Amino acid sequence: MLSSARPVLRSMQGFRGLGRRLAFFSTDAKQFPVNKQKFIPQTGTYPLGFSAGGSHCGVKKNGKPDLAVLFSDRPTTASAVFTTNQFCAAPVQFDRQVINDARQANKKMVRAVIVNSGCANAVTGKQGLLDAQEMAKTGDQLVSKLDGKTYTGGTLVMSTGVIGQALPMNKISQGVANIHVGSEHDMWMRAAIAHMTTDTFPKLLSREVTIGQGKVRMAGITKGAGMIHPNMATLLGTVCTDAAISQKLLDDALAFAVARSFNAISIDGDMSTNDTIAVIANGAASHHVIEDGQSNEYMAFREALTNFMAELAGLVVRDGEGATKFITVEVAGAKSFADAKKVASTIATSSLVKTAFYGQDANWGRILCAVGYSGIPLDTNKVNMAMHPGDGSSPLVLVKGGEPQLPVDEDRASEILKQEDVLVRVELGLGPESARMYTCDLSHDYVSINADYRS
């Protein structure tokens, strides 16, 4: 098994003498809102062979961190899902081609992910694609510097921020050339902070899980607080793992996981031009390659990835622009997963439901109304509905067998709706399948934040 200290030594050797040119910044959780600090990890367990870093290179005019790098000391198997917005950004177009080329060549190619925040490089025409290519070239040069030999074609790029503006490539190129990477927690946190735009806290998660007879590690960074609505990925995010897995099974596992995580969240119903979620696996955990889609090892990996990504996606909802509540909508008893998810999504995207939660109004009729217009055939006499508080205390049953449970205990409803976490559970009574959606309330602050975004 490889030592996790090796990437730090290699990265420090590669950048010795550049320290005084680096844009250092604080990673102290206390700089972020008090109510969000509990979601910011103070330590982590990171995948072998990976390192990370973040800095300010000048994309953002306010001097905040705006450049992040994730690096693997060996080629990785890479998979990604992207926005279906037809005005997809140049980085999306570029990354699709990189991953498709790797699939067709049946080769591990990706070594680095370069992310800038503050400028989306979207709706920027031919120049935008040229800039994405140039940004990837700077990543390849970084890999070559760390390796001590030339490496090409191994960088994914992601951009987030204002649409319709060109990237300041001279600043990004210089920033990548001067950035410091390492495998310690603080360096991963620097990368997470550099992803932020309207986010109020950095979104970083790491975990060690058992797969078969061995241990593998996962680390994920994501960003997003607005323009969040599912349809093949939502926002930006990268999961790094030291698991060894075939290209096909990584593709399959990611598709399964995204449907139950990043494609199961909604904040405002808007789908970004830049949405990208990638998973890169370098195999440094030194177990054999997972190649059998029916094996216990694959099932364990898929479950671990799904749970990990659901928690990571949940951080985005918790940071929804202007949000005060984290709402889980669980629909059970459906004939199919697709039916359950359709009903859950209809509830989660209802502006009337979301505003009722913000106002702490137990207007359960809005929820039942959304179930009814979801388009899924129902037997209304079988529908049950309840609200569960985040503290684990007893739920409030609102509908049973299609009948409202009157009179509603308004005091209990008020107690539940004052909590930050609330689960709405709807049982359809039609079959064995279930699904979840994660959303937040809709507040006055959401309008204020987005009315002033470019300023």
Side-chain angles (χ1 to χ4, degrees):
M1 185 171 289
L2 296 175
S3 168
S4 60
R6 286 185 63 191
V8 180
L9 295 175
R10 296 176 72 226
S11 64
M12 291 175 68
Q13 291 167 356
F15 291 103
R16 187 164 293 157
L18 295 173
R20 55 184 183 274
R21 287 194 286 167
L22 297 173
F24 286 104
F25 54 89
S26 173
T27 58
D28 189 347
K30 293 180 180 179
Q31 68 185 293
F32 301 107
V34 173
N35 65 330
K36 305 296 185 183
Q37 291 175 15
K38 60 188 174 183
F39 304 121
I40 304 173
Q42 301 303 302
T43 61
T45 302
Y46 295 100
L48 304 180
F50 283 99
S51 51
S55 71
H56 169 70
C57 71
V59 178
K60 292 179 181 174
K61 297 177 182 178
N62 59 12
K64 292 184 177 181
D66 53 19
L67 183 67
V69 170
L70 301 175
F71 166 75
S72 173
D73 67 1
R74 67 202 72 193
T76 69
T77 302
S79 184
V81 288
F82 303 96
T83 183
T84 56
N85 191 309
Q86 293 183 68
F87 279 105
C88 62
V92 170
Q93 300 174 52
F94 179 83
D95 289 351
R96 275 196 185 120
Q97 190 61 53
V98 170
I99 291 177
N100 285 338
D101 287 348
R103 285 193 184 111
Q104 292 175 7
N106 195 27
K107 290 179 61 178
K108 296 181 178 181
M109 293 177 61
V110 173
R111 295 287 306 278
V113 181
I114 309 294
V115 183
N116 80 272
S117 58
C119 177
N121 192 15
V123 197
T124 46
K126 294 179 180 178
Q127 186 58 48
L129 190 55
L130 291 174
D131 288 344
Q133 294 168 350
E134 181 63 24
M135 192 167 163
K137 184 178 178 180
T138 67
D140 290 346
Q141 291 169 348
L142 171 66
V143 173
S144 299
K145 180 180 288 188
L146 295 175
D147 280 358
K149 58 183 179 182
T150 301
Y151 194 88
T152 60
T155 297
L156 298 178
V157 296
M158 300 181 189
S159 298
T160 178
V162 178
I163 295 171
Q165 295 183 0
L167 287 175
M169 279 310 303
N170 58 327
K171 295 178 179 179
I172 291 176
S173 297
Q174 185 176 5
V176 174
N178 292 344
I179 203 165
H180 186 126
V181 296
S183 61
E184 61 268 32
H185 173 74
D186 188 67
M187 300 306 290
W188 284 88
M189 185 57 68
R190 288 174 63 83
I193 292 172
H195 278 67
M196 295 170 61
T197 52
T198 60
D199 308 66
T200 65
F201 70 95
K203 299 165 183 66
L204 170 65
L205 193 65
S206 65
R207 182 165 299 159
E208 182 176 76
V209 297
T210 299
I211 304 293
Q213 301 299 310
K215 301 285 188 180
V216 302
R217 286 139 293 271
M218 298 178 182
I221 294 174
T222 188
K223 65 82 48 192
M227 292 189 81
I228 308 299
H229 186 67
N231 199 343
M232 292 305 291
T234 45
L235 43 101
L236 298 185
T238 304
V239 174
C240 303
T241 178
D242 52 18
I245 185 168
S246 71
Q247 180 72 64
K248 181 183 184 305
L249 292 191
L250 185 61
D251 291 341
D252 291 347
L254 178 58
F256 183 92
V258 163
R260 291 156 178 81
S261 59
F262 284 95
N263 265 359
I265 65 175
S266 182
I267 290 175
D268 52 15
D270 273 338
M271 185 200 309
S272 169
T273 53
N274 293 57
D275 299 343
T276 302
I277 299 294
V279 177
I280 54 177
N282 68 4
S286 298
H287 64 78
H288 70 275
V289 179
I290 300 172
E291 297 181 299
D292 181 0
Q294 302 302 314
S295 68
N296 291 334
E297 284 186 326
Y298 172 67
M299 293 302 178
F301 175 82
R302 188 180 73 172
E303 180 180 8
L305 181 65
T306 300
N307 292 338
F308 183 84
M309 292 181 67
E311 188 172 342
L312 192 63
L315 295 177
V316 175
V317 177
R318 292 189 181 279
D319 200 21
E321 291 170 347
T324 67
K325 298 192 182 303
F326 180 85
I327 304 164
T328 301
V329 179
E330 182 176 81
V331 175
K335 290 182 179 179
S336 67
F337 171 75
D339 284 357
K341 190 171 181 182
K342 180 68 180 296
V343 175
S345 177
T346 304
I347 298 169
T349 56
S350 166
S351 294
L352 290 177
V353 170
K354 290 157 70 71
T355 51
F357 273 101
Y358 174 67
Q360 299 181 11
D361 177 12
N363 195 336
W364 57 269
R366 293 181 177 182
I367 301 173
L368 203 62
C369 179
V371 174
Y373 67 69
S374 65
I376 301 302
L378 303 172
D379 182 342
T380 58
N381 294 319
K382 294 182 177 181
V383 174
N384 300 327
M385 183 171 67
M387 284 196 303
H388 297 248
D391 63 8
S393 58
S394 59
L396 176 62
V397 177
L398 297 166
V399 178
K400 189 172 183 178
E403 294 289 332
Q405 302 302 287
L406 301 175
V408 173
D409 187 340
E410 295 290 349
D411 290 339
R412 179 57 179 155
S414 179
E415 290 174 355
I416 292 173
L417 292 173
K418 285 179 181 178
Q419 299 189 26
E420 181 179 351
D421 288 27
V422 180
L423 182 147
V424 175
R425 179 176 170 86
V426 178
E427 299 173 356
L428 302 181
L430 300 175
E433 296 298 323
S434 63
R436 282 187 168 191
M437 283 287 293
Y438 306 93
T439 189
C440 59
D441 54 350
L442 189 59
S443 71
H444 302 293
D445 285 346
Y446 176 83
V447 177
S448 298
I449 291 167
N450 283 282
D452 298 334
Y453 181 68
R454 290 211 304 168
S455 59

